[in-house]
Amino acid sequence: MELLREITSELKSSYIDYAMSVIVGRALPDVRDGLKPVQRRILYAMYEMGLLSNKPYRKCARIVGDVLGKYHPHGDTAVYDALVRMAQDFTMRYPLIDGQGNFGSIDGDSPAAMRYTEARLAKIAEEMLADIDKETVEFTPNFDATLKEPEVLPAKIPNLLVNGSSGIAVGMATNIPPHNLRDVCKAIIACIRNPEISIDELIEYVKGPDFPTGGIITGFDGISEAYRTGKGKITVRGRVEIDGNKIIIKEIPYMVNKAKLVERIAELISEGRLDAGTVRDESDREGIRIVIEVKEDVDTALNKLYAYTNLQTTFGIIMLALVDGKPKVLTLKEIIEYYIDHRREVIRRRTAFELRKAEERLHVVEGLKKAIENIEEVISLIKSSTSPTEAKNSLMKRFNISDRQAEAILQTRLQKLTSLEIEALFEEYKMLRRRINEYRSILSSPEKIDSIITKEVEEIMEKYGDRRRTSIEDVNAEISAEELISEEMNLIITTKNGMIKRLGMNFKLQKRGGVGVVGIQLKDDVPSRVVVCSSKDKLLIFDKKKAYWINAYEIPKLDRHAKGVKITNLVSCGEIVSIIPIREFDNSFILLVTEDGYIKKIKLKEFENAKRAGITATSGKLTFACMAEGEEVFISTKNGYTVRFDLENVSELGRTAKGVRGINLRKGDCVIWVSCRMGKYLLTVSKDGYIRKTARENYRKVLRGSMGVINYRGEVAMAEIVEGVENLVVVSSDGYLLRTSISEIPVQGRKAKGVLLCRKEVACCAVEPSNSL
């Protein structure tokens, strides 16, 4: 009869069957012994072959053949790969197989073929199989029902937590990190002694994963979440040492390929993203050692390694395992509780087995004891019998003993009748009685079973426990863009047509009177502003109405011959009138001056939310902005007039206010510079390239709003208060840049023309701080 069925139902049913087959039979570990079926079968096959830790190694091809032929009817590659993994000390925290030969490397090298490698059980693996011959676990038929294999191993070792597990099933995956054996054993003992223990208390014992490759786990939140919910995410970093300008990597994160890590670092260097000379892999048998000679700030270089390479990785924890044949996401406490329950069952079954064996032996010993007590009669009865069967029946009838006891009497050799052997028999009788009482006592007392588990766990901890390799540090693993920038002094140059670029401050100091070197490539354009700043500064940018800010490092760093990028690609501003480099938006004051000479001071914090879209800075038309760092204000005009007055006379106003009168401008004149700094001199640079220093006392202090005094007869490009020890950066109208020392500029009076600074028309200037990097 043909059976009709909808294809959707058939597909659904078949796929579910396939999925469960993969989940249960291949990909996921059992919560009790922490092993997948292939791993369990490999260990059991090796145990059957007698490949214990004190026996000679055997070819892996032979082991794989036994596993395939007896228990695991899949590909030999899958079996060998699982065997290799259990032998790798960089994969398993406590390897279960002792391998001899090439079993691969942390560089990703493949293991040698199975015909070349040899293996045997590691000592710790024997603990996983201990008591398996005492009916401690259930056995099921193998794939062809010719043999039996264990459903689970007795597992004296809490292997699921200790060695972890990873696997991808159908629709689910597990990724349990390895842990330290001592930590886990202490948690098991604590859980046995206090079944109501909380996960918080367990975390006091199991502090976090402990990877075979060491490393550093950053933060505790991910660990805590994983232990509470069964899922979490942790960040693991390699361990490094700093030796001068060298970064030495001593440990790498778990499952990271060392060779690929070195290759990636070399790529960063060749791309220019990491300013370093060389990277060398000096690893040997003693351990990992990768040396990077950096040229930039070491902390910044290290942050780049964390951000751009696998020196920092994320480990997603999913504590999924099979519980009663079904997948379940488990908390830390649940994993420990299931393991304890498994060990209780193993101890109970082992004790019942030993009790039965002891009772069987006691039964035989009681018969032998009865025969020895009546030895003359026994011998006489045996001698008078015509056959062994008649002798057995006669003994059973005469002394009221069982068939087995009678058989044991008949099998006893005459040498057992010596006084020493008889005495040993009576001692064995007493010992068996004691053991039977002890076994019965254990089976009737859950407390005694727990006591045995505790004792065994303590022995395991003492025998195989070691110190943690992975440390846990409460640091922020998130690396901001600023942390990837080396702090260095930079030049910011803008042009009339709205171009902007950032340059490294790698210009040599030159004597005045030259032309300098190319600073920016121009085409039908003129430099408008030049600013000296740190690469980690924020740049507060002003156009005629609004304020904006961006980080200095966001401006592309280009070479001297580049023309820059459009400023509108970075901020939505118009023609730039001023750029102020700052570190933080604090309560410092800045001064804003309008085209018609009005001035106000306003707190820097007012512009914190300016960002790229900008916020209103004044109701007038802004022409200059600067920090209020001194006690006096100098306002200088294009036609050479300067007014000096006290800062306290400037009102603190809001962003929408225009301000108060700062200078009364003459017809055709305009504000060219504003300075409010501490310093001895007013440094004046003319448009035609002349420069001079004038003592600030030469400028009388007047009331705010006056027309000022003559400072320079000619067109002024800059008039800044300086101490006299700084450097000056000058950009000419055709893009040439000159950097010179202000200390070499002579001090002259207000009527002096000054000395020649450069042989080109000056477009813009900036004073380089004396405390620059």
Side-chain angles (χ1 to χ4, degrees):
M1 183 179 73
E2 187 176 337
L3 180 64
L4 296 178
R5 191 178 181 190
E6 284 191 20
I7 190 169
T8 54
S9 299
E10 179 62 29
L11 286 173
K12 184 177 180 181
S13 174
S14 298
Y15 191 76
I16 290 173
D17 291 343
Y18 159 72
M20 287 308 296
S21 173
V22 172
I23 289 167
V24 176
R26 292 200 187 188
L28 300 184
D30 193 290
V31 71
R32 295 168 291 178
D33 61 5
L35 296 172
K36 299 178 187 178
V38 65
Q39 295 171 322
R40 188 179 303 115
R41 288 164 177 167
I42 290 170
L43 295 180
Y44 183 65
M46 292 177 73
Y47 174 78
E48 278 196 315
M49 292 171 68
L51 297 181
L52 303 180
S53 59
N54 57 352
K55 297 293 171 57
Y57 294 92
R58 193 73 61 85
K59 286 288 185 185
C60 290
R62 168 69 190 279
I63 298 169
V64 172
D66 263 39
V67 174
L68 290 178
K70 293 180 177 180
Y71 307 115
H72 199 72
H74 299 287
D76 60 335
T77 302
V79 176
Y80 185 53
D81 286 348
L83 187 152
V84 165
R85 183 180 172 85
M86 288 193 286
Q88 293 174 334
D89 59 3
F90 53 88
T91 299
M92 302 286 278
R93 182 63 177 84
Y94 301 90
L96 299 175
I97 290 177
D98 178 11
Q100 182 170 268
N102 175 15
F103 278 81
S105 73
I106 200 168
D107 286 319
D109 299 320
S110 300
M114 67 180 92
R115 62 182 178 275
Y116 299 120
T117 56
E118 298 178 334
R120 63 185 179 189
L121 289 173
K123 184 69 176 174
I124 197 169
E126 294 176 10
E127 307 290 355
M128 294 288 293
L129 293 147
D131 303 322
I132 197 169
D133 55 353
K134 294 183 179 180
E135 300 178 1
T136 51
V137 293
E138 290 291 335
F139 278 72
T140 57
N142 68 339
F143 62 90
D144 60 0
T146 58
L147 296 168
K148 288 195 171 184
E149 61 176 308
E151 282 186 356
V152 66
L153 298 188
K156 269 190 181 180
I157 307 293
N159 185 63
L160 184 62
L161 282 174
V162 163
N163 273 323
S165 185
S166 64
I168 301 174
V170 179
M172 61 187 68
T174 184
N175 201 26
I176 303 173
H179 292 77
N180 183 268
L181 181 61
R182 282 182 183 166
D183 291 354
V184 177
C185 287
K186 288 176 183 176
I188 290 169
I189 294 169
C191 195
I192 290 173
R193 290 174 177 168
N194 177 19
E196 302 301 319
I197 192 170
S198 66
I199 293 178
D200 283 336
E201 292 171 308
L202 283 175
I203 293 175
E204 293 295 318
Y205 301 100
V206 185
K207 299 175 178 62
D210 187 28
F211 299 107
T213 53
I216 300 167
I217 298 173
T218 61
F220 300 92
D221 293 343
I223 298 171
S224 178
E225 182 183 359
Y227 289 164
R228 293 171 192 279
T229 66
K231 292 184 179 181
K233 186 172 67 173
I234 60 175
T235 301
V236 186
R237 287 178 172 177
R239 194 180 302 278
V240 301
E241 292 179 1
I242 305 298
D243 182 11
N245 70 325
K246 294 180 181 177
I247 296 175
I248 303 171
I249 302 173
K250 306 288 286 186
E251 296 172 0
I252 62 177
Y254 185 52
M255 299 305 292
V256 167
N257 185 310
K258 178 168 67 68
K260 288 186 178 179
L261 173 63
V262 174
E263 184 181 332
R264 177 59 181 150
I265 294 171
E267 285 177 4
L268 290 179
I269 294 173
S270 65
E271 292 169 2
R273 299 173 73 184
L274 179 65
D275 191 5
T278 59
V279 53
R280 301 188 304 276
D281 186 358
E282 300 178 356
S283 307
D284 55 22
R285 292 178 181 271
E286 301 299 317
I288 292 172
R289 180 181 169 88
I290 302 170
V291 181
I292 308 153
E293 295 182 0
V294 299
K295 298 177 181 177
E296 59 184 319
D297 176 65
V298 174
D299 290 336
T300 304
L302 186 57
N303 285 331
K304 288 181 180 179
L305 292 176
Y306 289 146
Y308 300 140
T309 74
N310 279 339
L311 190 60
Q312 175 174 300
T313 61
T314 299
F315 189 99
I317 299 175
I318 308 172
M319 300 205 291
L320 179 74
L322 294 176
V323 179
D324 297 329
K326 297 177 182 178
K328 182 180 179 183
V329 176
L330 303 162
T331 66
L332 174 64
K333 186 177 180 182
E334 286 174 331
I335 291 177
I336 291 174
E337 286 176 336
Y338 281 121
Y339 174 75
I340 292 171
D341 289 344
H342 172 58
R343 288 303 298 168
R344 283 172 178 155
E345 181 65 17
V346 168
I347 300 298
R348 193 176 295 112
R349 293 178 65 131
R350 182 183 71 190
T351 305
F353 174 83
E354 290 173 338
L355 173 60
R356 190 177 77 250
K357 291 294 183 182
E359 287 176 338
E360 289 173 357
R361 178 59 183 166
L362 179 63
H363 182 65
V364 172
V365 170
E366 284 176 337
L368 294 175
K369 180 173 175 288
K370 189 175 289 188
I372 287 171
E373 290 171 346
N374 301 276
I375 190 62
E376 298 297 338
E377 187 178 355
V378 168
I379 292 172
S380 175
L381 192 148
I382 292 172
K383 287 172 67 178
S384 63
S385 300
T386 59
S387 67
T389 303
E390 183 184 341
K392 183 195 296 187
N393 292 333
S394 299
L395 288 171
M396 291 169 63
K397 184 176 180 181
R398 170 65 185 83
F399 296 106
N400 193 26
I401 58 178
S402 67
D403 180 273
R404 188 173 180 184
Q405 288 173 319
E407 186 66 34
I409 292 169
L410 290 173
Q411 295 294 331
T412 301
R413 300 169 65 182
L414 290 176
Q415 71 179 25
K416 295 291 184 180
L417 299 179
T418 63
S419 59
L420 287 176
E421 292 292 334
I422 292 171
E423 185 179 343
L425 184 68
F426 280 92
E427 283 298 320
E428 184 182 4
Y429 174 78
K430 294 176 184 176
M431 181 267 292
L432 287 169
R433 294 296 295 268
R434 286 196 303 270
R435 281 189 180 176
I436 289 168
N437 290 334
E438 182 183 343
Y439 293 148
R440 287 173 176 165
S441 173
I442 291 169
L443 290 172
S444 64
S445 172
E447 291 78 13
K448 286 190 176 180
I449 291 176
D450 285 350
S451 177
I452 292 171
I453 297 172
T454 300
K455 183 180 178 183
E456 289 182 350
V457 168
E458 287 173 343
E459 289 172 353
I460 291 293
M461 180 170 59
E462 183 65 29
K463 196 171 181 180
Y464 301 102
D466 58 1
R467 65 178 183 82
R468 284 185 62 87
R469 298 180 187 175
T470 303
S471 58
I472 304 170
E473 297 180 4
D474 190 11
V475 295
N476 185 11
E478 296 295 325
I479 299 173
S480 65
E482 186 175 342
E483 291 177 297
L484 300 175
I485 303 299
S486 296
E487 184 160 17
E488 58 179 0
M489 294 308 293
N490 288 158
L491 282 177
I492 307 294
I493 301 177
T494 65
T495 70
K496 290 283 187 184
N497 291 343
M499 306 300 287
I500 189 169
K501 68 185 272 190
R502 179 163 62 102
L503 283 167
M505 201 72 174
N506 50 357
F507 298 91
K508 294 180 180 179
L509 288 173
Q510 295 178 278
K511 297 291 185 181
R512 60 178 179 80
V515 295
V517 297
V518 174
I520 185 170
Q521 190 70 45
L522 298 171
K523 186 178 181 181
D524 300 327
D525 203 356
V526 178
S528 61
R529 289 285 181 269
V530 61
V531 178
V532 181
C533 67
S534 164
S535 55
K536 292 194 174 183
D537 281 343
K538 296 177 177 65
L539 299 180
L540 188 56
I541 300 172
F542 292 90
D543 62 14
K544 291 188 179 295
K545 281 289 184 181
K546 288 185 173 184
Y548 315 79
W549 75 262
I550 59 171
N551 295 297
Y553 59 78
E554 294 180 73
I555 298 172
K557 186 178 180 181
L558 306 171
D559 62 28
R560 293 188 296 111
H561 298 279
K563 67 177 183 178
V565 298
K566 275 286 185 182
I567 184 67
T568 50
N569 293 340
L570 303 172
V571 292
S572 306
C573 67
E575 182 185 349
I576 294 175
V577 297
S578 284
I579 300 177
I580 303 176
I582 60 172
R583 270 304 165 96
E584 298 296 336
F585 287 94
D586 53 24
N587 288 319
S588 302
F589 287 101
I590 60 173
L591 297 177
L592 303 182
V593 180
T594 61
E595 288 181 349
D596 51 359
Y598 280 78
I599 186 171
K600 70 177 177 181
K601 64 182 178 183
I602 183 170
K603 284 187 178 178
L604 195 56
K605 207 171 185 66
E606 292 284 326
F607 299 101
E608 187 170 10
N609 295 323
K611 299 292 178 69
R612 299 170 190 271
I615 56 175
T616 300
T618 181
S619 60
K621 287 187 176 181
L622 196 65
T623 190
F624 203 90
C626 69
M627 292 297 300
E629 298 172 321
E631 296 176 353
E632 295 177 342
V633 180
F634 283 74
I635 301 178
S636 299
T637 70
K638 179 179 179 181
N639 292 338
Y641 288 91
T642 295
V643 61
R644 172 191 177 193
F645 55 86
D646 290 327
L647 176 64
E648 63 182 20
N649 293 332
V650 179
S651 303
E652 180 185 349
L653 300 170
R655 288 187 294 106
T656 56
K658 183 176 181 181
V660 294
R661 176 75 69 177
I663 186 171
N664 190 7
L665 292 169
R666 292 169 172 81
K667 188 176 180 180
D669 205 357
C670 64
V671 174
I672 195 70
W673 205 271
V674 182
S675 181
C676 183
R677 299 176 53 181
M678 304 299 292
K680 299 177 183 177
Y681 310 103
L682 181 66
L683 183 74
T684 304
V685 180
S686 69
K687 198 77 174 173
D688 56 359
Y690 282 82
I691 186 171
R692 72 152 198 252
K693 285 187 303 195
T694 306
R696 67 188 299 160
E697 291 78 16
N698 285 9
Y699 305 87
R700 70 177 186 273
K701 194 180 295 186
V702 297
L703 294 175
R704 173 180 56 75
S706 68
M707 300 180 74
V709 298
I710 279 288
N711 171 41
Y712 191 82
R713 297 192 181 277
E715 189 174 344
V716 175
M718 184 191 80
E720 180 73 279
I721 293 294
V722 296
E723 192 62 40
V725 294
E726 304 93 336
N727 297 323
L728 178 69
V729 177
V730 180
V731 181
S732 65
S733 298
D734 56 358
Y736 276 73
L737 188 149
L738 177 72
R739 183 175 177 232
T740 190
S741 174
I742 295 175
S743 61
E744 296 182 2
I745 308 301
V747 179
Q748 296 176 318
R750 288 193 290 120
K751 295 182 179 180
K753 181 177 178 66
V755 294
L756 185 65
L757 172 63
C758 65
R759 298 182 182 276
K760 288 180 177 287
E761 183 185 33
V762 174
C764 50
C765 310
V767 173
E768 181 183 337
S770 57
N771 59 347
S772 60
L773 297 175

